[in-house]
Amino acid sequence: MLILGIETSCDETAAAIVRNGREILSNVIYTQIPLHIPFGGVVPELASRNHVEKITPVVEEAFRQAGVKKEDIGAVAVTSGPGLVGPLIVGVSFAKALSFGLNVPLIGVHHLDGHIAANYLSFQDLEPPFLALILSGGHSHFYNVKSFGDYELLGATRDDALGEAFDKVARVLGLPYPGGPHLEKMALQGKPVHELPITLLEDDSLDFSFSGIKSAMKVLSEKVDLETERANLAASFQETVFSIVTEKIRRALKRTQEKRIVIAGGVAANQRLRELLDELPAEVLYPPLSICTDNGAMIASAGYYSFQQGKCSPLTLNAKANLSLSSTEDLWITCG
Ligand code: KG4
Ligand code: ZN
């Protein structure tokens, strides 16, 4: 079964064709980053307008690269939340029209379900149960993935998401948007010589808190000579937050007795994090760089597994800025 996956929840217009949830035939990503650079972050109104302009050529290109005709697809999967509501509406409206026009099922996909599914595209035999840790711009969440689409929340950030903390700290360091990759590059030239608070919360907690570290970075950056200390500050931030992430993973493995954890979301693209993950005494999986950040293939894959479970969406599907992964039932009706 071929599924078209569409993703427009933030600053990427993306579309992909995926076979049977596992094989990427095309994966086209148009990034709006240059559009938002002058503003230091994503401007939702500009993002929405740009998605409107780009969605048709991006979807056409996904069909062209896959060598697939529109009539050959079996369903259209689309991110319906969470994310920026204007950008989401563009993808959802486009997907609805295409599903209606081609007379194929529409499948609303939770964005995080997509990020986790990036691992199904990367590890052909991977199936639940496993632990999942999502580290993106909007989420830092631990889940127990009991079966396809069945998520138990184990812990989450109490303030900033890790990607959000990277972006805000990068700004304090005078680095451009998007902060995460720029901060990673800067950290390569420095040493973690500055001490920052290691916020682990209660002994058994799987929650995160990154706002204290963020504030400490702001205070530090005003105290030192930023020009000479920028790289050391970046390295210190990165080592501190990743020491917290790896400690929390150890806790999660211990608590659940699981031996396997998948990491997903934009921050999983960080090479230093990957090095540290590889040292953990467990099977730690993460997708290749190309599908760590937002893309349509992961949405098509997640959509495939929803479809397999008989979950399709009505044409009244709406975009939702906030949507919990453990209660997505209102996205779906029974297929067919
Ligand atoms: O998953 P994603 O593409 O979009 C969301 O769903 O949020 O994640 C984007 C986030 C941004 O905060 C970005 O700064 C961060 O992931 N990110 C990184 C890296 N690449 C992207 N953070 C640290 N190191 C990176 N290499
Ligand atoms: Zn994302």
Side-chain angles (χ1 to χ4, degrees):
M1 180 188 197
L2 300 177
I3 294 191
L4 167 69
I6 295 176
E7 154 64 42
T8 63
S9 69
C10 190
D11 54 357
E12 259 98 33
T13 317
I17 310 277
V18 171
R19 181 181 283 137
N20 295 334
R22 297 277 180 170
E23 188 192 346
I24 301 176
L25 302 190
S26 66
N27 193 20
V28 179
I29 303 168
Y30 169 82
T31 179
Q32 302 183 345
I33 288 173
L35 178 72
H36 300 294
I37 283 179
F39 305 96
V42 182
V43 183
E45 175 65 17
L46 287 182
S48 308
R49 288 167 186 267
N50 201 242
H51 283 303
V52 171
E53 263 175 48
K54 296 296 188 256
I55 184 105
T56 304
V58 164
V59 170
E60 292 289 349
E61 184 62 13
F63 278 103
R64 199 191 62 78
Q65 286 186 16
V68 162
K69 290 201 273 314
K70 299 215 171 60
E71 306 75 61
D72 295 339
I73 60 166
V76 181
V78 62
T79 308
S80 57
L84 299 171
V85 76
L88 283 167
I89 285 173
V90 177
V92 168
S93 307
F94 193 92
K96 281 189 200 177
L98 206 56
S99 122
F100 182 74
L102 294 171
N103 194 25
V104 295
L106 173 72
I107 308 163
V109 171
H110 191 290
H111 186 72
L112 299 189
D113 201 13
H115 274 301
I116 290 172
N119 287 281
Y120 300 141
L121 295 164
S122 319
F123 305 99
Q124 295 297 314
D125 299 325
L126 177 66
E127 284 185 9
F130 52 76
L131 282 179
L133 173 59
I134 297 169
L135 298 171
S136 70
H139 295 82
S140 298
H141 286 46
F142 270 109
Y143 291 97
N144 191 359
V145 186
K146 295 191 261 181
S147 59
F148 286 109
D150 185 2
Y151 295 101
E152 178 194 2
L153 182 64
L154 300 176
T157 182
R158 295 184 187 173
D159 37 65
D160 289 358
L162 185 53
E164 183 183 4
F166 263 92
D167 294 339
K168 289 178 178 168
V169 166
R171 197 188 261 238
V172 163
L173 296 181
L175 300 171
Y177 149 87
H182 287 287
L183 198 152
E184 175 178 17
K185 218 180 284 165
M186 183 56 60
L188 285 175
Q189 299 161 33
K191 292 213 160 58
V193 294
H194 296 285
E195 216 171 298
L196 292 162
I198 300 177
T199 323
L200 289 170
L201 306 171
E202 304 80 26
D203 278 353
D204 59 343
S205 173
L206 293 181
D207 288 349
F208 292 103
S209 171
F210 296 116
S211 66
I213 302 165
K214 182 187 67 184
S215 305
M217 283 294 290
K218 184 154 178 25
V219 173
L220 258 178
S221 69
E222 285 160 3
K223 248 201 311 215
V224 299
D225 175 18
L226 198 52
E227 286 315 309
T228 56
E229 282 307 300
R230 187 177 278 118
N232 287 341
L233 285 170
S236 305
F237 172 76
Q238 215 177 238
E239 289 306 307
T240 304
V241 294
F242 289 159
S243 76
I244 294 169
V245 169
T246 48
E247 169 59 21
K248 295 284 171 168
I249 292 174
R250 284 175 204 276
R251 285 184 187 180
L253 292 165
K254 191 165 162 219
R255 189 203 289 184
T256 59
Q257 296 293 307
E258 266 296 336
K259 302 266 176 300
R260 195 167 54 165
I261 180 162
V262 314
I263 316 290
V267 184
N270 188 290
Q271 294 295 347
R272 178 60 185 145
L273 175 61
R274 288 166 175 245
E275 279 172 25
L276 295 168
L277 294 175
D278 292 342
E279 291 167 9
L280 286 169
E283 190 185 351
V284 187
L285 305 176
Y286 42 78
L289 290 180
S290 56
I291 50 173
C292 269
T293 46
D294 294 348
N295 64 86
M298 68 185 199
I299 302 305
S301 175
Y304 175 80
Y305 287 102
S306 294
F307 186 81
Q308 289 293 92
Q309 295 175 311
K311 297 179 194 164
C312 291
S313 299
L315 283 175
T316 52
L317 177 72
N318 205 352
K320 292 224 166 103
N322 298 306
L323 187 61
S324 143
L325 187 52
S326 28
S327 61
T328 42
E329 287 314 313
D330 60 339
L331 290 187
W332 298 307
I333 51 170
T334 308
C335 297

